[in-house]
Amino acid sequence: MDARSKVATQGNRLMGKGVEQTKYYPGTELTYLNIGNIHAARESCESMNVLYQPSNLQESVASFAGKLDATGWLGHVLYILKGSNMIVEELVRERVGVLVHCSDGWDRTPQLCTLAQLCVDPYYRTIQGLQVLIEKDWMAYGHKFSDRCAHSTSQPSEERSPIFLLWLDCVWQIMRQFPTVFEFNEDLLLALLDNLYSCRFGTFLSNCFLDREKHLNASTLSIWRWVEQNYARFLNPDYAEYSEGPVIPSVNPKNIKVWEGYFERFDLSQLPFAPGSNNPTVYYD
């Protein structure tokens, strides 16, 4: 599974990056998943942030819907979920091995592999399992948190991109469609995002496991210790372990929704009004 589009692979080849030729791998199939790169994801997220500004008044429902579609954000979510479903189908239904990669292997690759594992293995749908999954496939695998979150620079960076946010949006989409199969709730996803940028914990700092091991683990706290201390607030009261097969979300476009809990979190104009909605919970104090 190549996370890129076929057109993108040709451009990457000119820059010296890898492209498989199936003639050298008998019995294999190569599938392009057409997932956008870090720059496309960044531009879509910036457009979403502008669109969901409380002061951004729209002339009509059609105008808003058109601008939402134009951001491309839900398209990114859709293609990642489609790719994850394809991986799950090959692993579970066809019982074959799957090699997944993108240009470098630390952005779209963990998005796809971790979603597939969430869908296949109920352990990863627990709080402890989510911790293991993130530590294993995001931290140890080398996702560049510092670059993607611009932790180390005050200037605009072309390396900045909401890759982890996009992944958590995909997790939320599955949670919305299957509300009882996850031990954790939406608040845990929001807490992870808050502290992705707060730099309160060392968990999401630096670009690689080695740097954290050398310079941060002994001098910073882990977010997972804090999660353990606040375990009850992140529990899904409707949780019921499901282990009768993979969880495969619908990728019909009408079933892919805007994550209102994130994008409208600080919008005081949202309806229906709920007492306390003008003071939403944040997890970085």
Side-chain angles (χ1 to χ4, degrees), residues 190-255:
L190 294 172
L192 292 175
L193 282 173
D194 278 352
N195 291 292
L196 175 67
Y197 292 99
S198 73
C199 299
R200 177 183 177 187
F201 302 99
T203 309
F204 298 118
L205 300 180
S206 193
N207 282 329
C208 68
F209 176 83
L210 183 61
D211 281 349
R212 282 187 287 273
E213 187 75 14
K214 282 185 174 181
H215 307 298
L216 294 170
N217 286 356
S219 58
T220 63
L221 297 175
S222 168
I223 192 173
W224 303 115
R225 180 176 298 180
W226 175 79
V227 168
E228 184 177 353
Q229 293 170 347
N230 295 274
Y231 202 81
R233 73 194 299 180
F234 300 127
L235 286 173
N236 174 11
D238 299 320
Y239 173 61
E241 182 179 340
Y242 174 80
S243 56
E244 298 178 14
V247 172
I248 301 180
S250 167
V251 289
N252 187 318
K254 71 180 181 182
N255 292 325

Side-chain angles (χ1 to χ4, degrees), residues 70-180:
T71 68
W73 182 260
L74 294 183
H76 294 306
V77 171
L78 177 66
Y79 278 111
I80 294 170
L81 288 173
K82 278 185 175 180
S84 171
N85 282 359
M86 292 176 68
I87 294 168
V88 172
E89 290 283 350
E90 294 296 327
L91 290 174
V92 178
R93 311 293 190 205
E94 303 299 326
R95 296 185 177 274
V96 298
V98 181
L99 172 66
V100 183
H101 72 83
C102 51
S103 301
D104 297 297
W106 48 55
D107 293 309
R108 290 167 284 190
T109 302
Q111 285 178 331
L112 290 163
C113 291
T114 48
L115 281 179
Q117 291 172 80
L118 274 172
C119 292
V120 170
D121 192 337
Y123 171 68
Y124 293 125
R125 299 194 291 269
T126 65
I127 293 178
Q128 184 184 55
L130 184 69
Q131 172 187 346
V132 170
L133 191 64
I134 291 174
E135 290 285 344
K136 174 173 67 75
D137 281 32
W138 288 92
M139 306 299 180
Y141 206 78
H143 178 66
K144 300 165 68 175
F145 281 101
S146 183
D147 285 354
R148 296 294 178 259
C149 301
H151 286 155
S152 56
T153 178
S154 59
Q155 303 299 319
S157 169
E158 287 297 304
E159 289 294 303
R160 177 175 52 86
S161 187
I163 298 300
F164 196 68
L165 163 60
L166 187 51
W167 176 68
L168 287 177
D169 195 328
C170 292
V171 175
W172 177 82
Q173 300 286 338
I174 304 173
M175 291 173 64
R176 190 187 67 81
Q177 293 187 28
F178 299 91
T180 65

